[in-house]
Amino acid sequence: MDAQPRAAVKTAATYASRGSSQYDLILTLMCVVIVISNIGATKGVQFSLPGGWDIVTDGGFFLFPLAYILGDVVSEVYGFKAARRAIFTGFAMALLAVASFAVIIALPGFTDAYGLEKQAALEVALGPVWQIVLASLLGFLAGQLLNSMVLVRMKERFREKALAGRLMVSTGVGEFADTLIFCAIAAPVIGITDAGGFFNYVLFGFLYKTLIEYLFVPVTALVIRVIKKREPSYVPAELEPVAA
């Protein structure tokens, strides 16, 4: 009598071990993106569009969405604990950068005209960074944790299915919290003081970052699938066999 085929069953969602070279590379890139974004965010940016409508944002707008994409990869492949570790590590590096800038500014410099100009430029460019980091810390912490929690909770229900949908839902939730908190603290630093400018700042920031991440969902999903295949410790839950 032929043996019964082994059946596949759904178990709890599984994740790869974070003790891998892929996780280290993603974590490193995430830290770099956060630090550079914080520096760029000290500059207010304004685009004038036809019709007299202006878009207000900051200098880190083009890079910051990458941090969320990397956060999605970590959450999906390595789980919530690994994502939380990446978030806290990134902001530890951001705080280290702020402390370093403070020391650099405080060190006595050359007293000639050129040296004084450079000192003034450093104070203007890097002096407010601690406020931007505070805004980024609270916003990104809340947003990324929400993003990761939603993605992981949805994975517990759908397992390996509906990856694109799970990425889009978690991104929308996380980006809204992130943008609102960040803009509330960062707006005065970059010179936004009126209600209209603040609303513009929040709306454009949320729509832009969310749209960019939505456009990159196919790329994010592809990267996630590639990393899953390259991680020996990652076994999709719905493919785990049990004896009949």
Side-chain angles (χ1 to χ4, degrees):
M1 184 174 180
D2 295 335
Q4 293 289 336
R6 294 167 67 86
V9 297
K10 288 185 177 181
T11 63
T14 57
Y15 300 97
S17 168
R18 66 172 182 251
S20 68
S21 59
Q22 284 85 3
Y23 178 77
D24 292 341
L25 290 173
I26 296 171
L27 176 60
T28 301
L29 180 56
M30 194 171 180
C31 291
V32 172
V33 168
I34 292 171
V35 171
I36 296 177
S37 296
N38 289 335
I39 297 173
T42 62
K43 177 181 179 178
V45 175
Q46 178 174 316
F47 297 101
S48 296
L49 300 180
W53 191 58
D54 294 330
I55 293 177
V56 178
T57 183
D58 57 65
F61 79 97
F62 68 95
L63 185 60
F64 196 72
L66 179 57
Y68 262 83
I69 293 172
L70 295 172
D72 285 337
V73 174
V74 173
S75 299
E76 174 68 19
V77 179
Y78 301 98
F80 180 72
K81 289 184 178 180
R84 183 177 59 192
R85 181 186 182 94
I87 295 167
F88 289 145
T89 301
F91 279 101
M93 297 302 99
L95 292 174
L96 175 61
V98 172
S100 300
F101 296 151
V103 172
I104 292 170
I105 291 173
L107 288 173
F110 296 153
T111 57
D112 62 325
Y114 182 61
L116 293 176
E117 288 179 3
K118 289 203 303 182
Q119 176 67 21
L122 282 172
E123 291 176 357
V124 171
L126 301 181
V129 170
W130 71 266
Q131 294 164 287
I132 298 297
V133 169
L134 176 63
S136 184
L137 174 62
L138 297 179
F140 191 65
L141 185 63
Q144 272 284 20
L145 289 176
L146 282 172
N147 177 69
S148 180
M149 289 173 63
V150 171
L151 189 59
V152 168
R153 289 290 179 86
M154 293 184 71
K155 184 175 182 179
E156 291 175 357
R157 178 174 181 180
F158 294 101
R159 303 301 189 270
E160 302 297 315
K161 298 178 181 178
L163 176 58
R166 291 189 284 113
L167 292 172
M168 295 177 74
V169 171
S170 62
T171 291
V173 173
E175 280 293 6
F176 180 76
D178 184 347
T179 305
L180 183 61
I181 295 172
F182 176 82
C183 291
I185 301 174
V189 179
I190 65 173
I192 299 174
T193 56
D194 61 286
F198 177 74
F199 177 77
N200 191 322
Y201 189 28
V202 173
L203 180 63
F204 175 75
F206 171 69
L207 293 179
Y208 166 78
K209 289 184 286 188
T210 304
L211 178 61
I212 290 296
E213 291 182 44
Y214 281 3
L215 291 176
F216 275 89
V217 161
V219 178
T220 305
L222 177 61
V223 171
I224 287 173
R225 293 189 183 99
V226 170
I227 294 178
K228 284 179 178 179
K229 290 180 180 179
R230 292 174 62 88
E231 283 288 2
S233 60
Y234 190 89
V235 180
E238 56 192 8
L239 299 181
E240 292 180 352
V242 295

